[in-house]
Amino acid sequence: MICPKCGADNPEGTLFCEECDWRQDMPFRAAKKRNVNTLSLAVLACGVLSVALAFFVAMAGAAVGAVGLIVGGYAINAVRIVKPVNQNVLMVASAAGLLLSMIGFILGFANL
Ligand SMILES: [Zn+2]
């Protein structure tokens, strides 16, 4: 069977991979790296959405901005800890999302 982690072809019935010792019945996912990608994009989306919403539905803009601020702070920390290969891009995306969220949050309140 094919190892879910490293892709090595192990004999049928092997419990641990002969290459990397991964348990063959455990699904492997490089979850953390994918998560910071998603997280940074989510922050950026929150930021853009909150600024856009602030002009039409002030309350929603402020609410989405608040979410963006919280998730943004978390995302920047997560990117710093995980250190993905595209760290700089994710940092910029998170920071931009954070900034936009702040603008959306303030605009939303100003338009209430
Ligand atoms: Zn393996």
Side-chain angles (χ1 to χ4, degrees), residues 1-3 6 8-14 16-19 24:
M1 66 187 290
I2 304 294
C3 171
C6 72
D9 196 358
N10 294 294
E12 212 56 47
T14 314
F16 292 95
C17 175
E18 292 175 345
E19 289 297 321
Q24 297 302 285

Side-chain angles (χ1 to χ4, degrees), residues 18-106:
E18 292 175 345
E19 289 297 321
C20 71
D21 283 333
W22 185 260
R23 238 188 111 112
Q24 297 302 285
D25 54 0
M26 297 263 287
F28 177 81
R29 41 202 136 108
K32 281 185 170 171
K33 299 212 168 171
R34 205 184 307 146
N35 279 353
V36 289
N37 281 326
T38 314
L39 208 56
S40 299
L41 283 179
V43 175
L44 197 56
C46 265
V48 173
L49 193 65
S50 73
V51 171
L53 273 174
F55 288 104
F56 303 103
V57 194
M59 185 69 98
V64 176
V67 172
L69 284 175
I70 296 164
V71 181
Y74 177 72
I76 285 175
N77 269 327
V79 169
R80 215 165 27 206
I81 292 163
V82 173
K83 293 192 201 312
V85 281
N86 52 351
Q87 185 177 12
N88 290 338
V89 179
L90 293 184
M91 277 304 228
V92 170
S94 302
L98 198 63
L99 192 68
L100 285 170
S101 297
M102 202 183 296
I103 295 169
F105 184 70
I106 294 166

